[in-house]
Amino acid sequence: QVISDLNSLMNNASGNYALGANVNASGVTIAAGNDYCGGLRCNLGLFTGNIDGLGHTIDSFTSNVNNTYSAGLFSNIAGDLTFRNIGLTNRSTTSGIHSLGGFVGRIYSGTLNIINSFSSGTISGPGSGGFVGKVEGSSTTLIIKDSVNHINISKNSGNRTDGAGGFVGSNT
């Protein structure tokens, strides 16, 4: 399976999804969309569904996001959702404006549960986190349980004050 197959499955933003096999995304780069985001559902609105990886991985997912405000497997999410039993391997994102995460660029509201999941690769840019780039809003909650981050995080220079962290880049 290729990552573009996953994108076609995301027509229902609030659906429940499962990975039936490992996904090899090498050679597929998600470029920044019209909404200054880089990830699945970038130009289709906020993702509000749930994903169970069933122990599978998405390998070599790359975002090309030089002038992007949020990038991750999903650029922007909202609502109460869960990512479980999923691994991101060889994840790569560099040089966005802010909010760069392995799984999610930015959470706008609600509760995100990341359970029994892991990430590895490299993310470089302001507001970079191994799982989430930015948690935004006082009513937004992130719960990480039984999960591991192995992404190398670095905050490149620039005029942004957003931080960088192992799980979350910044929280406002």
Side-chain angles (χ1 to χ4, degrees):
Q1 292 183 358
V2 181
I3 199 73
S4 58
D5 296 336
L6 276 180
N7 203 17
S8 65
L9 292 174
M10 300 302 165
N11 291 330
N12 177 2
S14 61
N16 294 308
Y17 297 94
L19 289 181
N22 292 332
V23 175
N24 180 352
S26 62
V28 177
T29 298
I30 303 296
N34 296 334
D35 295 332
Y36 297 102
C37 57
L40 301 178
R41 291 202 51 82
C42 179
N43 293 316
L44 300 173
L46 298 173
F47 182 70
T48 59
N50 299 294
I51 296 179
D52 190 333
L54 302 175
H56 295 105
T57 62
I58 298 174
D59 184 58
S60 300
F61 179 80
T62 300
S63 300
N64 181 8
V65 294
N66 288 332
N67 294 308
T68 298
Y69 290 103
S70 60
L73 180 63
F74 293 94
S75 301
N76 302 300
I77 64 169
D80 296 329
L81 42 140
T82 299
F83 295 170
R84 72 173 64 240
N85 306 316
I86 187 169
L88 296 179
T89 55
N90 301 306
R91 176 78 173 91
S92 175
T93 299
T94 57
S95 187
I97 295 173
H98 63 79
S99 305
L100 310 176
F103 287 100
V104 176
R106 190 181 322 192
I107 304 171
Y108 282 100
S109 63
T111 300
L112 170 61
N113 295 283
I114 298 177
I115 301 168
N116 195 34
S117 298
F118 68 92
S119 56
S120 69
T122 302
I123 296 179
S124 177
S128 296
F131 286 171
V132 177
K134 187 172 191 175
V135 177
E136 192 167 303
S138 61
S139 63
T140 304
T141 304
L142 172 63
I143 298 170
I144 299 171
K145 181 177 179 185
D146 299 326
S147 298
V148 178
N149 171 46
H150 291 289
I151 289 185
N152 291 322
I153 304 292
S154 65
K155 178 184 174 189
N156 59 13
S157 62
N159 59 3
R160 298 287 311 177
T161 59
D162 295 336
F167 288 111
V168 177
S170 65
N171 185 15
T172 60

